[in-house]
Amino acid sequence: MEDLKLQLDSLIFNEALSVGERLEQVCEVLRSNIAHYDWVGFYFHEPETRTLHLRAFAGEPTDHTQIPFGKGICGQVAESNQNFIVPDVKAQDNYIACSINVKSEIVIPLFKDGVNIGQIDIDSHTIDPFTDADVALLEFVNAKVSEIL
Ligand code: SME
């Protein structure tokens, strides 16, 4: 995990790449290094329209590139400003299915100067895979990413 954090840190601060390229590569590094991460994406807020917009991802393309605040797990995090771990998506009423293979999800808000401006969203094909280690890793990634935005 420490090696992965070092790799992510140098990627996030690699000024030879655009911010968009760095976000795409962060998604891909997470997806390919962690067995239970099957889809990784960053959504960012558009406050005027109260919607989330997908800006970078790794994994299967999704139809859900814009999500209204309050809808689905992502939309709820836009309003709650809290981490949301879903061990079993079937148990959630307010959930937007991206693929029938997804069993669980974690969404961690991304704060810039104390304001919730987006989130990292992970889908997994495994039931109940997420632990405190995932929360720590994803909070680390979001804190670093907020420094380049
Ligand atoms: N499942 C999410 C929608 C985004 S996809 O996972 C890529 C939700 O319920 O908000």
Side-chain angles (χ1 to χ4, degrees):
M1 199 64 104
E2 289 312 307
D3 284 354
L4 180 58
K5 281 186 177 174
L6 285 174
Q7 186 186 348
L8 288 162
D9 187 76
S10 53
L11 170 57
I12 290 165
F13 294 104
N14 180 358
E15 294 188 352
L17 300 172
S18 70
V19 170
E21 288 168 333
R22 287 181 252 173
L23 292 177
E24 296 275 357
Q25 290 191 22
V26 166
C27 292
E28 186 51 39
V29 165
L30 287 169
R31 199 193 60 82
S32 55
N33 278 274
I34 301 187
H36 57 282
Y37 291 8
D38 292 292
W39 188 93
V40 179
F42 285 100
Y43 286 93
F44 287 94
H45 293 195
E46 190 178 278
E48 300 75 28
T49 55
R50 291 181 50 78
T51 52
L52 289 158
H53 292 248
L54 184 63
R55 183 154 162 204
F57 71 96
E60 292 290 307
T62 174
D63 290 340
H64 304 290
T65 56
Q66 294 188 23
I67 299 175
F69 285 11
K71 302 280 185 199
I73 308 305
C74 296
Q76 291 176 76
V77 169
E79 293 185 326
S80 71
N81 309 321
Q82 305 283 326
N83 295 342
F84 198 159
I85 298 176
V86 179
D88 178 0
V89 296
K90 284 207 192 101
Q92 294 292 320
D93 292 332
N94 189 357
Y95 168 69
I96 302 166
C98 277
S99 141
I100 52 162
N101 298 319
V102 175
K103 303 271 198 312
S104 58
E105 178 160 1
I106 183 171
V107 179
I108 305 287
L110 192 158
F111 298 97
K112 175 85 182 171
D113 302 326
V115 177
N116 180 1
I117 60 159
Q119 54 192 236
I120 191 165
D121 175 21
I122 317 286
D123 286 345
S124 179
H125 298 173
T126 305
I127 283 262
D128 195 10
F130 300 113
T131 68
D132 290 348
D134 297 291
V135 173
L137 174 64
L138 299 172
E139 286 180 347
F140 167 87
V141 167
N142 280 358
K144 297 288 177 188
V145 165
S146 82
E147 293 183 37
I148 60 165
L149 296 175

